[in-house]
Amino acid sequence: MMLKLYNTLTRRIENFEPINPPKVGIYSCGPTVYDYTHIGHLRKYVGDDILRRILEINGYEVKHVMNITDVGHLVSDEDAGEDKMEKGARESGKSVWEAAKFFEDYFWKSVETVNTKRPNIVAKATEHIKEQIKLIHRLEKNGFIYQTTHAIYFDISKFADYSKLSGQKLEEKEIGAREDVFVDKQKKNPQDFALWFFTVGHFKDHTMRWPSPWGEGFPGWHIECSAMSMEYLGDSFDIHTGGIDHIPVHHPNEIAQSEGASGKPFVKYWVHHNFLIVDGEKMSKSKKNFYKIDEIVKKGFDPLALRYLFLTAHWRDKLNFTWKSLEAAQNALDNLREIIRDWDELKIGCAQYEQDFMEALNNDLNTPQALAVLWDMVKSDYPSSAKAKSILEMDKVLGLKLEEYLGKKIEVPAEVQKLVNQREQARKSGDFKKSDELRKKIKKLGYGIEDTPEGPRIKATSSHS
Ligand code: AMP
Ligand code: ZN
């Protein structure tokens, strides 16, 4: 069974054939740590995690590298305006270094709640200044750079294949230069991008700064990803991921820098995750339509219900976030947990379902289809001992921590059992007001009741339901 994956570079679903099997190198564009991580970001990092787990379950040895952007990412893509880190520090009343640490910690806390595996290597831009300077040197030797008063730029007119990823002609490329932000008038082409900014003029007060052969300053955003991915994965590697917002600018810039320096193909498969949206618009800080994981938890949801919700959509489709959809995901997950609590010990698995499950995932990471297979199996007549073995296998990819529920029948405290018995009495005698009140009391203690023909069934509940 071969893994098939959509590649933005070729605009096709392709057979996945790594450069150096069984090794697979993945580089994921990570967060800019100037503000809180929101659940839109989490969709992207869960997407990366699913991809990694699918590669692993296929037997590949994955080396997953992710960057932390803590310098040089300017507010506008056209290398204008101020560094997001300086802005974040100003707005949060912290120093740039404190802000970077604070928001990075928040990022890790957030991604851990949705059970993503830590990348094997986490690379911070500020800890790889030497590597970035080395790469700019290689580009200088190959004739791709020029210098203005404010910065060193990559001259994209010298790189013939600039449009191969985005498919956009240069003249179609949006130039969003706004009047309220700084624009370097000495740039040759508006789309040229900065590799190194000098701490002069517009950037004279920039806090983070390092010496370089061209003058004191700080690196541009794009160069960090080329420098660090090539440092840890080599000049050519297998998979590069990011959000679809990186298709027009950030990733073409990475390709230009890396291939301009090495003369070799940079990345074989480009994976771009679609967005989490709200009312038709991307969830983002600037639109103020975002939620943080704390807000999800405060409303009584389990972060893993959010992970479940992400799994219900294909990674290349938009996913519209609503509280109703999160509630449906929480209910589905609660249901699944309840069902598997009663399952017997593991024996031999359900081969056919496991195969269908893998087929769905290997078909361009089709997680909604994989979930459908899981539910078909759960509802099937197979012995629960067989289903138990298979569901744990499936959960290696889904990451819903089902092992914490499998076969763990709930021990109902005597106090709760007493209330359940009283409620049953009340119900039988037609006192529905009292029975409702008792149900509420039981819920407060963390339990739910389902009335079945065999009598009341007690469930552990999450507090939102
Ligand atoms: P940022 O820190 O804003 O640069 O975003 C980090 C990553 O999260 C990028 O790859 C973005 O594409 C991705 N991202 C940001 N907002 C969303 C969203 N609403 N849905 C999915 N991914 C997002
Ligand atoms: Zn990047």
Side-chain angles (χ1 to χ4, degrees):
M1 217 191 302
M2 189 160 213
L3 172 60
K4 291 186 169 66
L5 193 58
Y6 182 84
N7 185 356
T8 311
L9 190 61
T10 56
R11 293 164 190 80
R12 279 190 289 118
I13 294 179
E14 296 181 346
N15 287 334
F16 178 70
E17 289 166 349
I19 299 166
N20 192 15
K23 294 189 180 352
V24 172
I26 309 181
Y27 183 86
S28 297
C29 280
T32 305
V33 286
Y34 74 113
D35 205 341
Y36 288 102
T37 302
H38 58 65
I39 62 171
H41 298 125
L42 293 186
R43 181 178 186 206
K44 189 258 171 188
Y45 296 107
V46 168
D48 285 345
D49 183 63
I50 297 289
L51 169 63
R52 171 178 169 178
R53 287 169 184 256
I54 292 173
L55 289 162
E56 286 173 347
I57 209 167
N58 274 287
Y60 291 115
E61 291 166 22
V62 177
K63 183 171 175 187
H64 184 200
V65 181
M66 194 179 78
N67 67 306
I68 300 283
T69 300
D70 53 1
V71 66
H73 191 174
L74 299 204
V75 172
S76 155
D77 270 336
E78 286 72 39
D79 291 326
E82 73 176 322
D83 188 327
K84 286 187 181 180
M85 291 306 304
E86 304 265 327
K87 185 168 186 273
R90 196 162 34 75
E91 287 173 357
S92 62
K94 299 177 178 6
S95 76
V96 266
W97 299 99
E98 282 165 0
K101 164 108 187 46
F102 177 84
F103 291 118
E104 188 191 341
D105 287 350
Y106 190 83
F107 167 76
W108 289 119
K109 210 180 80 189
S110 302
V111 292
E112 272 154 26
T113 63
V114 285
N115 198 23
T116 60
K117 293 188 179 184
R118 261 220 191 205
N120 306 94
I121 295 174
V122 175
K124 279 191 208 170
T126 51
E127 291 172 2
H128 293 79
I129 300 296
K130 200 173 73 221
E131 289 76 5
Q132 296 178 69
I133 290 176
K134 201 170 76 188
L135 188 57
I136 300 171
H137 247 312
R138 286 170 81 183
L139 290 170
E140 183 175 38
K141 256 197 357 229
N142 293 351
F144 285 102
I145 72 172
Y146 66 93
Q147 193 165 336
T148 70
T149 313
H150 272 97
I152 294 175
Y153 289 101
F154 187 99
D155 183 345
I156 62 167
S157 66
K158 301 252 167 75
F159 187 75
D161 273 348
Y162 187 78
S163 303
K164 67 181 171 186
L165 183 73
S166 66
Q168 258 181 345
K169 294 203 184 76
L170 272 186
E171 50 278 21
E172 287 171 4
K173 224 179 116 178
E174 265 179 50
I175 306 158
R178 303 194 322 248
E179 285 184 3
D180 57 334
V181 292
F182 166 78
V183 177
D184 189 345
K185 298 223 166 55
Q186 296 172 316
K187 268 166 86 164
K188 287 193 194 162
N189 316 293
Q191 301 92 344
D192 290 347
F193 56 92
L195 303 167
W196 188 264
F197 292 103
F198 298 115
T199 33
V200 297
H202 180 72
F203 300 112
K204 70 178 184 332
D205 297 327
H206 198 271
T207 320
M208 294 175 167
R209 51 180 73 200
W210 294 265
S212 87
W214 309 278
E216 187 189 64
F218 62 98
W221 170 39
H222 314 288
I223 193 74
E224 73 175 79
C225 285
S226 286
M228 300 194 293
S229 61
M230 290 160 89
E231 174 72 17
Y232 294 109
L233 298 169
D235 286 349
S236 301
F237 60 91
D238 300 299
I239 302 177
H240 194 313
T241 77
I244 53 170
D245 50 335
H246 290 158
I247 299 172
V249 179
H250 181 47
H251 289 163
N253 290 357
E254 280 191 41
I255 294 175
Q257 295 164 147
S258 299
E259 300 190 354
S262 74
K264 296 180 209 152
F266 176 41
V267 168
K268 200 165 171 191
Y269 302 92
W270 284 91
V271 165
H272 289 106
H273 299 283
N274 209 328
F275 290 142
L276 187 67
I277 57 167
V278 186
D279 300 328
E281 287 200 278
K282 179 188 173 195
M283 182 175 285
S284 70
K285 194 203 152 217
S286 54
K287 300 209 179 74
K288 296 199 168 56
N289 60 356
F290 66 92
Y291 303 106
K292 305 197 292 276
I293 195 70
D294 304 345
E295 293 164 272
I296 302 290
V297 172
K298 221 183 265 163
K299 282 189 187 261
F301 290 100
D302 182 334
L304 290 177
L306 187 65
R307 186 174 170 109
Y308 188 102
L309 176 63
F310 295 156
L311 292 167
T312 63
H314 192 273
W315 63 283
R316 287 195 284 120
D317 292 333
K318 285 183 206 145
L319 171 58
N320 191 34
F321 177 81
T322 61
W323 290 107
K324 268 215 140 22
S325 63
L326 184 58
E327 209 168 302
Q330 180 77 63
N331 288 338
L333 185 60
D334 284 347
N335 248 337
L336 184 60
R337 288 168 169 173
E338 281 314 312
I339 294 169
I340 68 176
R341 278 181 190 281
D342 288 335
W343 285 2
D344 293 331
E345 259 176 57
L346 314 186
K347 290 212 184 103
I348 192 162
C350 316
Q352 187 59 50
Y353 284 113
E354 282 185 38
Q355 192 183 330
D356 292 352
F357 182 83
M358 277 313 299
E359 239 164 55
L361 293 178
N362 280 348
N363 179 16
D364 195 27
L365 326 179
N366 193 337
T367 53
Q369 177 63 29
L371 275 183
V373 173
L374 175 141
W375 278 106
D376 280 349
M377 180 191 77
V378 168
K379 291 176 184 159
S380 74
D381 301 333
Y382 272 90
S384 71
S385 58
K387 296 196 271 193
K389 181 128 197 317
S390 292
I391 210 158
L392 286 188
E393 195 57 26
M394 294 174 179
D395 203 37
K396 284 184 185 161
V397 174
L398 303 177
L400 297 169
K401 298 193 178 173
L402 296 178
E403 76 283 358
E404 291 178 9
Y405 296 84
L406 188 67
K408 310 248 161 68
K409 294 186 179 60
I410 324 176
E411 283 175 28
V412 182
E415 179 196 6
V416 173
Q417 189 61 56
K418 205 168 129 199
L419 291 171
V420 171
N421 295 347
Q422 284 173 6
R423 177 182 167 272
E424 193 57 9
Q425 284 292 328
R427 222 167 62 87
K428 279 190 179 142
S429 60
D431 188 349
F432 295 113
K433 190 160 166 271
K434 187 166 176 203
S435 104
D436 259 11
E437 275 164 15
L438 285 161
R439 182 197 279 275
K440 278 184 198 144
K441 253 192 188 168
I442 294 163
K443 198 182 139 196
K444 273 210 180 113
L445 296 169
Y447 295 86
I449 304 174
E450 190 186 343
D451 293 311
T452 73
E454 293 83 42
R457 216 175 101 96
I458 306 172
K459 310 192 291 186
T461 58
S462 52
S463 52
H464 82 281
S465 49

